[in-house]
């Protein structure tokens, strides 16, 4: 699986994961709008700014999760 970047659209990121682990990561961080229409057009960086989060921390956690799914 490819790595996630800040520029990626949240909806595209969520589609990378059939197990919904990425959605869980985002919701645990406080980004509860993963199913809202904005998620289909907003980048992870944009959503992180709106929610007052550090996109780099989320990206790191998501990419670690994706690496564990590849094993």
């Amino acid at each position: 699986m490819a790595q996630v970047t800040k520029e990626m659209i949240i909806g595209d990121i969520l589609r990378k994961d059939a197990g919904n682990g990425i959605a869980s990561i985002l919701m645990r961080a406080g980004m509860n709008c993963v199913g809202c229409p904005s998620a289909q057009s907003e980048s992870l960086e944009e959503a992180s700014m709106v929610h007052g989060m550090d996109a780099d921390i989320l990206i790191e956690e998501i990419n670690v999760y994706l690496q564990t799914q590849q094993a």
Side-chain angles (χ1 to χ4, degrees):
M1 239 178 243
Q3 295 286 300
V4 170
T5 66
K6 293 188 236 203
E7 295 80 19
M8 293 177 78
I9 302 298
I10 294 172
D12 294 339
I13 294 169
L14 293 170
R15 283 188 283 281
K16 290 182 167 292
D17 178 34
N20 294 320
I22 294 173
S24 295
I25 291 168
L26 294 174
M27 289 191 303
R28 266 195 322 269
M31 197 176 292
N32 297 316
C33 60
V34 294
C36 76
S38 294
Q40 300 308 310
S41 60
E42 198 169 46
S43 73
L44 184 58
E45 183 173 38
E46 292 166 333
S48 294
M49 283 190 285
V50 168
H51 291 281
M53 298 176 187
D54 186 335
D56 292 323
I57 292 171
L58 288 174
I59 290 166
E60 181 178 342
E61 189 172 350
I62 291 168
N63 284 331
V64 167
Y65 165 77
L66 289 173
Q67 288 172 353
T68 64
Q69 298 307 299
Q70 291 176 6

